[in-house]
């Protein structure tokens, strides 16, 4: 336990001193602000560009538009930033050889995996919550947040998908020992899931669903029964990826 | 008593034997030189002793315990300094040692004492900057400090001096000499003067095989001064000498030759005469006292 806490502390120090935490906080803070503001000023933005919103069939913006911006920004750019920031957490140590000293000191390999997963997950949770809280309160100020269906499930889904990507870059890093391998592994999974999602019957099982149909869920046009299976499979895959990371890392030559 | 014994260790990479049926013992309390040209299998052997590589055959026994691949209990009594130790560049030396101490579960009060002692030993006690700005020599010294943190019974150093300038090398050798008696040191190198300076036992590897082993003084006594050392200025001269000379070349490394002689006086005259006739003028011509270098050249021939 002491070793785990020591390694967690080391991971935090790394995030602070390499400015990764700062970058993430700033990016997600900006996302948080942007979502409601873009939704709110969209008619003005369009007007400034010389487009009459009514010709596009757009109604006045609502809270839903603000949340749609949230899922678009955080669910795409936000996840990409998180993946890039954590792509090197395992791969970097393996390619540089920084783990040799600590492993020959008797640090358990699973402790390394657990500590890295913990710190990345907590970081993702914090920045996700920052973006969410800002968007939520600003939306409530600019518009009025009425009632939505399945609000918790929609926001929980995107958060869980973030954890899935974190587990993927850790496993990718262990498999390929290079940041590029780690990125390609996570990216490849997303591509595969996007392809699978073309087949309508697969959609409710593919984990990518929980990061892409959140707005429909909020609007109530998507049944939770078409969302929850993907959520459960995503959770199972996270557990599976972390376990696979430990098993493969235990057999890997460093 | 032997702190380490290596028995029939074998490891191949892609069908090429990097370490071939290697056996040797390291007596406790010695500084043990692990010598061989680059690619002789030194690092591979060390990594197997540390459980970082899985041997194809054979085993290593440290302090009575067999080394297991992966997480091995033997590492509790071993300190390891990799050839190029890599640290977390954003940590300061004290923070790094604290991380190592916490990993091994060392009590805080003991850590404070050990940390001061070790940082003083390696000359980093007044350094409070991030490791990222360290020179190679400083990283190497911090590497020794982290390896010694747990008072290991066996300290394994992989080419600790190879990448350093003469000042840095001397510092490392002095530190290793200073810890002698407290721990056994295995130290791999291809720099023979370093071995001569601090080692009392030596094994020589060539292409993964053991070619020479024993205590340095014993080995020196066994070999008489019936050898001549020749060094040429250029590769071309060396090649010509190798091709044309009628003498018994018993060792060669690049432009350096070791020549055996039954009658040293006669061979000396013969060689000098031959060289004048061949219009070849060596840079160095010497009747050898047996040195580690001559033993090495002969062994890896």
């Amino acid at each position: 336990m002491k070793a785990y806490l020591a390694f967690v502390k080391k991971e935090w120090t790394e995030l602070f001193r390499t400015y990764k935490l700062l970058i993430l906080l700033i990016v997600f803070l900006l996302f948080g602000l942007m979502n409601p503001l873009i939704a709110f000023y969209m008619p003005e933005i369009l007007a400034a560009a010389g487009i009459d919103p009514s010709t596009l069939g757009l109604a006045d913006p609502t809270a839903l538009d603000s949340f749609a911006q949230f899922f678009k920004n955080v669910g795409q750019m936000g996840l990409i930033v998180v993946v890039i920031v954590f792509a090197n957490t395992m791969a970097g140590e393996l390619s540089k050889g920084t783990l040799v000293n600590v492993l020959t000191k008797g640090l358990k390999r699973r402790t390394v995996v657990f500590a890295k997963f913990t710190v990345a997950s907590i970081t993702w949770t914090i920045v996700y919550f920052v973006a969410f809280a800002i968007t939520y309160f600003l939306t409530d100020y600019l518009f009025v947040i009425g009632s939505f269906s399945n609000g918790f499930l929609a926001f929980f889904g995107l958060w869980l998908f973030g954890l899935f990507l974190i587990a993927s870059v850790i496993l990718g890093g262990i498999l390929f020992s290079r940041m590029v391998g780690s990125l390609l592994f996570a990216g490849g999974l997303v591509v595969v899931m996007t392809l699978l999602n073309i087949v309508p019957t697969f959609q409710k099982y593919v984990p990518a669903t929980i990061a892409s149909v959140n707005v429909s869920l909020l609007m109530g046009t998507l049944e939770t029964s078409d969302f929850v299976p993907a959520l459960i499979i995503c959770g199972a895959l996270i557990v599976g990826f972390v376990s696979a990371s430990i098993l493969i890392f235990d057999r890997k030559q460093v | 008593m032997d702190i380490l014994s290596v028995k029939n260790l074998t490891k191949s990479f892609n069908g090429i034997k990097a370490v071939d049926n290697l056996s040797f013992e390291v007596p406790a309390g010695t500084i043990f030189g692990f010598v061989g040209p680059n690619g002789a299998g030194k690092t591979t052997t060390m990594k197997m002793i540390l459980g970082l590589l899985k041997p194809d055959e054979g085993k290593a026994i440290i302090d009575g315990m067999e080394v297991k691949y992966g997480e091995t209990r033997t590492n509790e009594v071993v300190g390891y300094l990799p050839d190029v130790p890599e640290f977390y560049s954003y940590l300061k030396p004290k923070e790094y040692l604290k991380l190592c101490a916490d990993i091994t579960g060392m009590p805080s009060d003991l850590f404070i004492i050990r940390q001061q002692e070790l940082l003083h030993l390696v000359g980093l006690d007044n350094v409070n900057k991030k490791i990222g700005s360290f020179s190679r020599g400083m990283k190497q010294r911090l590497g020794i400090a982290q390896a010694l943190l747990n008072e290991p019974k066996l300290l394994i150093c992989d080419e600790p001096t190879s990448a350093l300038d003469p000042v840095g090398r001397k510092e490392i050798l002095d530190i290793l000499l200073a810890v002698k008696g407290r721990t056994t040191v295995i130290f791999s190198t291809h720099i023979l003067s370093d071995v001569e300076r601090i080692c009392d036992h030596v094994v020589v590897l060539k292409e993964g095989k053991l070619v020479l082993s024993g205590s340095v003084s014993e080995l020196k006594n066994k070999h008489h001064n019936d050898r001549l050392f020749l060094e040429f200025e250029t590769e071309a001269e060396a090649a010509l000498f190798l091709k044309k000379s009628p003498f018994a070349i018993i060792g060669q490394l690049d432009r350096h030759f070791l020549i055996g002689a039954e009658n040293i006086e006669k061979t000396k005259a013969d060689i000098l005469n031959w060289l004048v006739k061949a219009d070849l003028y060596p840079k160095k011509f010497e009747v050898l006292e047996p040195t580690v270098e001559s033993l090495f050249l002969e062994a890896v021939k």
Side-chain angles (χ1 to χ4, degrees), chain A residues 10 14 17 93 96 105, chain B residues 53 86 88 90 95 146:
Chain A
K10 171 251 151 195
E14 174 169 358
R17 295 204 183 153
E93 299 235 26
K96 270 188 77 187
K105 287 227 153 23
Chain B
L53 271 178
E86 290 292 348
Y88 300 111
Y90 45 83
E95 293 168 335
Q146 62 85 22

Side-chain angles (χ1 to χ4, degrees), chain A residues 2-3 6-7 9-11 13-14 17-19 93 96-110 250-254, chain B residues 11 47 50 52-54 69-71 75 78 80 82 85-88 90-92 95-96 99-100 102-107 130 146-147:
Chain A
K2 199 175 175 190
F7 210 76
K9 189 176 151 206
K10 171 251 151 195
E11 289 289 316
T13 313
E14 174 169 358
R17 295 204 183 153
T18 56
Y19 305 108
E93 299 235 26
K96 270 188 77 187
T98 38
L99 284 177
V100 172
N101 283 344
V102 287
L103 290 180
T104 51
K105 287 227 153 23
L107 181 66
K108 289 204 162 56
R109 293 176 181 217
R110 66 187 54 200
D250 269 343
R251 283 158 185 75
K252 195 178 169 75
Q253 299 188 338
V254 293
Chain B
K11 176 80 187 173
K47 286 198 163 171
L50 288 156
L52 293 174
L53 271 178
K54 193 174 189 165
Y69 169 63
E71 287 165 13
N75 280 352
V78 177
Y80 174 49
E86 290 292 348
F87 302 100
Y88 300 111
Y90 45 83
L91 293 182
K92 293 172 181 176
E95 293 168 335
Y96 190 80
L99 172 67
C100 295
D102 286 345
I103 284 169
T104 54
M106 180 183 280
K130 289 181 191 167
Q146 62 85 22

Side-chain angles (χ1 to χ4, degrees), chain A residues 19-58:
Chain A
Y19 305 108
K20 284 177 179 165
L21 190 63
L22 187 71
I23 292 168
L24 282 173
L25 277 174
I26 290 174
V27 167
F28 280 81
L29 196 94
L30 288 176
F31 278 147
L33 291 169
M34 261 167 57
N35 303 324
L37 290 177
I38 287 181
F40 189 73
Y41 289 110
M42 189 53 85
E44 278 83 352
I45 295 168
L46 289 174
I51 303 165
D52 181 1
S54 58
T55 60
L56 294 171
L58 291 176

